[in-house]
Amino acid sequence: MANTHVNAIVVGAGAGGGVVAKELAEHGLSVVLFERGGWPDYDKHINDELISQRTQVLGSAFGPDHRKHPRVSLRDDGSKRVVTPITGGYGHNAACVGSGTVSYGAMAWRFMPEDFKLKSSYGHVEGSTIEDWPISYDDLEPFYEKAEWEIGVSGDDSQNPFAPPRKKQQPMPPFENNCEGKVLAEAGGRLGLHPFPIPMLRNSVPYNGRPACIRNRTCVGFACPVDGKNGTHNTVIPRAMATGNCEVRTHCQVAEVMSDSSGRATGIKYFDGADKGQIQTADLVILAASATETARLLLNSTSELFPRGLGNNHDWVGRNLQGHAYTGAVGLFNYDIKDFAGPGATFGFCDFNHHNEGIIGGGLLCNEFNPMPYLYTGMRPPGAAQWGSEHKDFQMKNIKRTAALHGPIQEIPNFDSRITVDPSVKDHWGIPVVAMSGKRHSIDYEHCKWLSSKAEMILKEAGALETWQRVGGRGLSGGQHQAGTTRMGNDPKTSVCNRHGQVHGIDNLFVADGSLCVTNGGFNPVLTILALGYWVSDYITRNWSGTKFKS
Amino acid sequence: MAGFGSILLMPSCVTRISSSWKFFTEEEASCVIALCEQIIPKDEHGGGATEAGVIHYIDRQLVAVFDYDQLIYQKGISALQGCCLELHGKRFENLDFDVQYSLCTEMEKGGLIRERWGELDQVRFFRLVISHSMQGFYGAPRHGGNKDYMSYRMMDLDFPLVVGRNHYKHLS
């Protein structure tokens, strides 16, 4: 039986897609929200590091299934490697309702005004596609606020002198520092820096009908056992369903966006949970499948008008793939500095975001999420034993005596860091898979060395007996903070979507995820993606009339 | 655990046919058990890979998630045994702990007899066994290793994690 035609299809039930489904459903549009995974189930992965989102050596508790969803990693020399969630180098977010908002560490950053105008703040960077966003911080500010209140954020920006202007306080008070946070924040203060509590999409007090956070050790990488962590799966998506206008269709793999002879989107082709090919038609299609999968979907949707994929006539779909080059330093102390209260990260410094001589953008610096025991087996000073009694002794003596400071460096985008599709490698359903290629701009590594040296300086001031730097910034970009592959812009020749997230030239096809981000800030991006979900929805609902846009 | 103990006691009495393992032959298992014990030895903190049952983790995963690593284990064990027999006239698991240690140190540097390894990279093989040993020793017991959370005891991490009560000190 054919599926009933609806007003809107949203592909991907993560941060952006969850918000859009709720906004459109509340506005009266009939919506089907497609998700390739299922609803997250806490009981399936309680306290099991080996299937957590950070360490998926035995597969991912949240999906995707490593046997059904291969990807390709292309090397500089043209050779390729098939990767899966368990091999590493796969660079994905959780595949379930809520996606990364189920398993994340839940930092709730607003980008700074400068992050939206990187090119005009710093000028062109050779070899990059650095650009300003077509929207400003002020444009997005009301939608940041809406995200903070509807999803739920604990924080107090008044303690951060670098915080962007806001009209309304975050809805919940900030979390307290843990032991390690107190020591490191005080050390930073002595060095003239400005520590403050990290804003979090977790409940510091009961909120929205759900309890406060219990500081569970296994927080980041895991679902919350008491539902004190806020994502789209326990906020906006249930609200969308409660309107009666939104169906969440899980375990469905979307294959392509269909379009007609005038170039407009008509619906999607997908495979249902029984692997049966299906068609869903709609007046509107909104893609929010992540920067890798949204790009793949567009590239796999070819037609006479768009022979290289929808929105790709100027070859910008999949380009400018960004993520965050994580960088920092580790210190060993002579006492138990780590209390393992979850999630571990409690405070940050924004002193290294913007206005630092010779640095373009920069990045936040925070104490680290709890490293679980297997992850910690890789945290060793350079030259230390990787096995044997010395390695084991280090583990037992130091797991509670280790503190790290690190942060996400704002990557400078480039044209060749990209997503393509590989027609020779197919997923379980025969759909060509994501191929990742290119590498970060060389300036990212320089920025990482700089931020790591700052982290090490603070750890030394805090009294660490031994410190070492972990410098990131080289190789393939993407990962859990993936962004940029359908960038927004005013010029259709150098961007994929306009300032409303509407694909240039196709009035009823939108993107509402990190793919829109022109640049990716020096912050964890989820609050920005949630805000973009509201921003795109706002345009759609203001201009929608019945079954089409008002003309 | 009975079968596990008997292997240690009677390494020469077992045959391929009667293997009690899901993947390994009895001989292969004896070699991997010794190798894992080198990677995570028993020490003053407590038991090592053998007591934690790391071999159960690896054996179980090689017929499940790690099925694509089967060949590298078979070839790697065979190559390592070839080196041991050529250099010392004994199989790896029958050598003294210190001799095993220096062989591992060589393997880590790629210094064992090259011809014995064919196309297989001995460094890659050793690193793979290191990763799997760490997972088996420090990961969740439900996958076969880390018997009774023994590594968690050594790290003084409370276990099992009781939701909402994990700030209480557990008695060990």
Side-chain angles (χ1 to χ4, degrees), chain A residues 378-406:
Chain A
M379 281 179 76
R380 294 293 185 277
Q386 300 298 307
W387 57 280
S389 57
E390 189 186 326
H391 181 274
K392 184 183 173 191
D393 188 58
F394 188 103
Q395 181 94 5
M396 304 312 171
K397 282 185 178 154
N398 293 321
I399 191 165
K400 290 185 175 175
R401 297 184 166 202
T402 306
L405 279 170
H406 75 172

Side-chain angles (χ1 to χ4, degrees), chain A residues 174-182 197-198 200 202-205 211-220 224-226 228-229 339-347 367-370, chain B residues 158 161-167:
Chain A
F175 282 91
E176 281 182 18
N177 242 335
N178 54 12
C179 166
E180 155 201 289
K182 282 175 195 150
I198 298 171
M200 285 282 186
R202 288 161 38 229
N203 295 343
S204 60
V205 293
C213 169
I214 57 167
R215 313 298 294 271
N216 195 34
R217 181 171 70 208
T218 44
C219 177
V220 65
C224 180
V226 300
K229 183 157 70 177
D339 57 18
F340 276 101
T346 52
F347 85 100
N367 61 334
E368 198 180 38
F369 291 115
N370 289 335
Chain B
D158 46 4
L161 191 62
V162 180
V163 169
R165 294 199 346 216
N166 53 326
H167 291 296

Side-chain angles (χ1 to χ4, degrees), chain A residues 416-462:
Chain A
D416 294 325
S417 171
R418 67 186 293 203
I419 298 299
T420 52
V421 289
D422 188 327
S424 70
V425 180
K426 306 220 165 104
D427 66 12
H428 174 74
W429 301 271
I431 310 164
V433 303
V434 162
M436 301 164 285
S437 60
K439 57 186 176 199
R440 293 185 173 94
H441 194 286
S442 58
I443 203 170
D444 295 343
Y445 180 60
E446 300 305 316
H447 290 162
C448 284
K449 284 194 286 191
W450 168 77
L451 193 60
S452 283
S453 72
K454 301 293 183 189
E456 189 171 29
M457 175 184 76
I458 298 161
L459 288 161
K460 283 185 195 298
E461 172 65 26

Side-chain angles (χ1 to χ4, degrees), chain A residues 483-500:
Chain A
T485 54
T486 68
R487 63 162 43 172
M488 292 197 275
N490 295 323
D491 182 355
K493 290 197 179 69
T494 57
S495 57
V496 178
C497 297
N498 68 16
R499 67 198 306 269
H500 307 296

Side-chain angles (χ1 to χ4, degrees), chain A residues 161-162 184-196 348-352 356 365 405 454-455 457-458:
Chain A
F162 306 102
L184 299 180
E186 279 170 24
R190 290 196 296 276
L191 293 169
L193 302 172
H194 302 83
F196 64 93
F349 302 105
C350 281
D351 297 76
F352 309 112
N356 287 277
L365 209 51
L405 279 170
K454 301 293 183 189
M457 175 184 76
I458 298 161

Side-chain angles (χ1 to χ4, degrees), chain A residues 44 47-48 51 57-58 67 86 214 216-218 373-374 377 386-389 391-393 395-396 400, chain B residues 38-39 41 43 45-47 57 64-66 104 108 126 134-135 138 142-143 154-156 158 161 164 166:
Chain A
K44 280 189 182 153
N47 195 27
D48 186 341
I51 56 167
V57 294
L58 294 184
R67 295 186 193 277
I86 60 173
I214 57 167
N216 195 34
R217 181 171 70 208
T218 44
Y374 172 61
T377 63
Q386 300 298 307
W387 57 280
S389 57
H391 181 274
K392 184 183 173 191
D393 188 58
Q395 181 94 5
M396 304 312 171
K400 290 185 175 175
Chain B
Q38 281 296 326
I39 292 165
D43 62 5
H45 297 287
Y57 170 80
V65 179
F66 298 156
C104 288
E108 187 182 27
F126 189 50
M134 298 298 170
Q135 291 159 17
Y138 295 107
R142 68 178 188 154
H143 301 298
M154 289 180 234
M155 288 177 284
D156 193 26
D158 46 4
L161 191 62
N166 53 326

